Amino acid sequence: MYRAGMAQAAQALIGDSEFDRDTAVTLREPGVYDAELSAGWTIIHAVNGGYLLALLGRALGDALPHPDPFTVSAHYLTPSAPGPAVIRTDVVRTGRTLSTGQASLFQYEEDGTEVERIRVLASYGDLDALPDDVRTTALPPAIPPREHCLGPSDGPAPQIPGSSAITDRLDIKLDPATVGWAVGAPSGKGEMRGWFGLADGRDADPLSLLLTVDALPPTSFELGLKGWTPTVELTTHIRCRPAPGPLRVSITTRNLAGGFLEEDAEVWDSADRLVAQSRQLARAPRG
Amino acid sequence: MYRAGMAQAAQALIGDSEFDRDTAVTLREPGVYDAELSAGWTIIHAVNGGYLLALLGRALGDALPHPDPFTVSAHYLTPSAPGPAVIRTDVVRTGRTLSTGQASLFQYEEDGTEVERIRVLASYGDLDALPDDVRTTALPPAIPPREHCLGPSDGPAPQIPGSSAITDRLDIKLDPATVGWAVGAPSGKGEMRGWFGLADGRDADPLSLLLTVDALPPTSFELGLKGWTPTVELTTHIRCRPAPGPLRVSITTRNLAGGFLEEDAEVWDSADRLVAQSRQLARAPRG
């Protein structure tokens, strides 16, 4: 299966892609899943929070009677590292249209002690069973055409400082209006916008949207702050199964105060549907 | 203690008010708290979700080493009713500046079986220990002066359908631009704005902010939808200890689709600080 314009590159399919292999979970016993955190999704030295969320989301999708994440609230406890992990799930409630579950991802100390990395509460449903009504008043973000946006290979711009394996697995092209930070001229606005895809061309699904909401550079870069913006809590609503094709992502910060900031993400699909909304509370960088 | 303009009405104090008495929890054993859900905070027949959140927030503030809710994610499982309840808490992680806990509120079946109503994950800190920096770019909502806004006693306007004991305990004055629903002429915009206070004059604190974010009529009324908008999940960030005086609350819905909608709330204090931000996913009314 080839896509026009992708010059002979075979497009990876949902279920058979880097993302799917690296978020695979293996049932160890009822409700408990083994996983391997891939070094391929690290940003600087930390494992990306959206990638971890997708892993937890996959485990919960197996443990719960409903297939799709509708709302996932994650509290980040300790930094994850590439390597083995275990996800322990708990079915909280099963309803007709929604079920609710809890999941924790643990890694191991040298002596084998489990250390909790993230805990999530999530309500799952069936996106394909929802009615067709759309009364969205939000408008898609005004992002220039993809060919006018900038990726890591486009000259001086956006290289995230430090080694970031994840950039090889993502196909992100940022709106030139939000890449001032990469050339030392941040806009001062808490905005980051761009086109998002997976590098192997795999289309989006509800699980990959959990990655997408936390995949762009932080808005704090455009606010002139350098350094790390660790997530305290991230809640994501998946509202619609995304259509094939590239996604547009817009991230906004309106309240940087007291050493914390919020980041609101919106993800729009190629059919102009608002497919995901998220908000996170993060610690502001010191710098 | 009297407040100018309140005509001899003694202002209730934080810690000695209806809200404090009705959100009191009693330690039964370590981590377990008994509570009594008051009939005074019901809307139609259901106990208000923000009131329940404040109860859970109070229990967690006791169970965790840090005093203030920074981010609280609540998943609503089954409808609560006035009467006895028990809150079971669990300390997930204790850190220097933040600690994370989990809490569930249960009520009882006739045979004594516990039924879970809500589960929350929350990260707590110390608001008074935060640095003073404020780089908020958001602006307070444009709400007319309080005396030009409308409450339940102001003529034809905003009476929530059905018996709603909570309206006696709140002092809400809505922006006339968002009360069209009350006279059969909804604006069609997903907006609700107004002034918020507690009827006994108690000032706001972080716990009462958990009530405030879910206390206005739903935006769906202004979208022309009648009926109930049950919350699936509600996440609230408390960003600053509110200054004394009335609060301004703005609620916005941008994505009503597939039978669900989000409601974003912002709460501003009398010192023009954005003190709380929340987002909920709710089921859209059928009507």
Side-chain angles (χ1 to χ4, degrees):
Chain A
M1 189 172 165
Y2 291 83
R3 175 176 287 185
M6 283 195 70
Q8 273 75 42
Q11 183 189 355
L13 299 177
I14 292 175
D16 181 20
S17 73
E18 263 182 337
F19 173 79
D20 294 290
R21 284 185 288 278
D22 288 349
T23 57
V25 296
T26 310
L27 189 67
R28 181 200 291 184
E29 59 188 69
V32 182
Y33 300 84
D34 285 301
E36 181 75 24
L37 306 191
S38 160
W41 303 86
T42 49
I43 174 153
I44 311 181
H45 295 298
V47 181
N48 173 265
Y51 162 73
L52 295 168
L53 203 55
L55 264 163
L56 284 153
R58 196 182 287 283
L60 276 171
D62 188 78
L64 291 170
H66 292 93
D68 300 315
F70 274 32
T71 167
V72 181
S73 310
H75 287 246
Y76 291 78
L77 307 170
T78 55
S80 301
V86 59
I87 298 171
R88 299 181 179 278
T89 66
D90 180 26
V91 177
V92 176
R93 176 182 170 268
T94 298
R96 194 172 52 81
T97 57
L98 290 177
S99 53
T100 301
Q102 177 172 324
S104 292
L105 185 145
F106 299 86
Q107 290 195 292
Y108 306 97
E109 298 273 25
E110 281 189 16
D111 66 0
T113 311
E114 290 185 1
V115 184
E116 191 168 354
R117 300 296 190 213
I118 313 180
R119 189 177 293 203
V120 309
L121 269 180
S123 294
Y124 273 56
D126 181 355
L127 288 172
D128 298 328
L130 296 182
D132 289 334
D133 64 299
V134 180
R135 293 177 57 182
T136 306
T137 54
L139 295 173
I143 301 179
R146 207 175 162 285
E147 59 272 23
H148 296 158
C149 290
L150 301 171
S153 57
D154 296 312
Q159 200 68 264
I160 295 187
S163 141
S164 294
I166 194 172
T167 54
D168 294 336
R169 282 167 179 72
L170 303 180
D171 179 16
I172 292 178
K173 297 280 188 181
L174 295 176
D175 183 337
T178 67
V179 298
W181 57 273
V183 291
S187 70
K189 295 180 190 165
E191 297 175 5
M192 195 66 66
R193 287 186 298 274
W195 294 88
F196 177 94
L198 292 165
D200 61 9
R202 177 200 189 271
D203 277 318
D205 70 351
L207 281 183
S208 73
L209 290 176
L210 296 176
L211 164 72
T212 304
V213 297
D214 195 34
L216 262 56
T219 54
S220 53
F221 285 3
E222 274 297 272
L223 290 167
L225 298 171
K226 288 168 185 157
W228 193 233
T229 311
T231 303
V232 176
E233 172 267 322
L234 167 61
T235 296
T236 309
H237 300 173
I238 306 294
R239 300 294 302 277
C240 177
R241 186 174 302 285
L247 301 170
R248 283 155 294 169
V249 185
S250 164
I251 303 184
T252 313
T253 293
R254 302 171 72 234
N255 192 22
L256 167 61
F260 289 84
L261 56 88
E262 102 286 9
E263 273 199 0
D264 282 4
E266 284 189 357
V267 185
W268 295 76
D269 72 4
S270 61
D272 275 357
R273 286 288 300 270
L274 179 46
V275 293
Q277 291 170 289
S278 76
R279 174 174 289 168
Q280 68 173 269
L281 182 69
R283 289 180 195 262
R286 301 249 162 71
Chain B
M1 189 172 167
Y2 292 83
R3 174 174 288 184
M6 283 193 71
Q8 274 75 43
Q11 183 190 354
L13 299 177
I14 292 174
D16 181 19
S17 73
E18 264 184 333
F19 172 79
D20 294 291
R21 284 186 287 278
D22 288 349
T23 56
V25 296
T26 309
L27 189 67
R28 182 199 290 185
E29 59 189 68
V32 182
Y33 300 84
D34 286 299
E36 181 75 23
L37 307 191
S38 161
W41 302 86
T42 49
I43 175 151
I44 310 179
H45 296 298
V47 181
N48 173 264
Y51 163 73
L52 294 168
L53 203 55
L55 265 163
L56 284 153
R58 197 182 287 282
L60 275 171
D62 189 78
L64 291 171
H66 292 92
D68 300 314
F70 274 31
T71 168
V72 181
S73 310
H75 286 246
Y76 291 77
L77 307 170
T78 56
S80 301
V86 59
I87 298 171
R88 298 181 180 279
T89 66
D90 180 26
V91 177
V92 177
R93 176 183 171 268
T94 298
R96 193 172 53 82
T97 58
L98 290 176
S99 53
T100 301
Q102 176 171 324
S104 292
L105 186 144
F106 299 86
Q107 290 196 291
Y108 306 96
E109 299 273 27
E110 281 189 16
D111 66 0
T113 311
E114 290 184 0
V115 185
E116 192 167 354
R117 300 297 190 213
I118 313 181
R119 188 176 293 202
V120 309
L121 269 180
S123 293
Y124 274 55
D126 182 354
L127 288 172
D128 298 327
L130 296 182
D132 290 334
D133 65 299
V134 180
R135 293 178 57 181
T136 306
T137 54
L139 295 172
I143 301 179
R146 206 174 163 286
E147 59 273 21
H148 295 159
C149 291
L150 301 171
S153 57
D154 296 312
Q159 200 69 264
I160 295 187
S163 143
S164 294
I166 195 172
T167 54
D168 294 337
R169 281 167 180 73
L170 304 180
D171 181 17
I172 292 177
K173 298 279 188 184
L174 295 176
D175 183 337
T178 67
V179 298
W181 58 273
V183 292
S187 70
K189 295 180 190 167
E191 296 176 5
M192 194 66 67
R193 288 186 298 273
W195 295 88
F196 177 94
L198 291 164
D200 62 7
R202 177 200 190 272
D203 277 319
D205 70 351
L207 281 183
S208 73
L209 290 176
L210 296 177
L211 165 71
T212 304
V213 297
D214 195 35
L216 262 56
T219 53
S220 51
F221 285 3
E222 275 296 272
L223 289 167
L225 299 171
K226 287 169 185 156
W228 194 232
T229 311
T231 303
V232 175
E233 172 267 322
L234 167 61
T235 296
T236 309
H237 300 173
I238 307 294
R239 300 293 302 277
C240 178
R241 187 174 302 285
L247 300 169
R248 284 155 294 169
V249 184
S250 164
I251 303 185
T252 312
T253 293
R254 304 171 72 233
N255 192 21
L256 168 61
F260 289 84
L261 56 89
E262 100 286 9
E263 273 199 2
D264 281 5
E266 284 190 357
V267 185
W268 294 76
D269 72 5
S270 61
D272 275 357
R273 287 287 300 270
L274 179 46
V275 294
Q277 291 171 289
S278 76
R279 174 174 289 167
Q280 68 173 268
L281 182 70
R283 289 180 195 260
R286 302 250 162 70

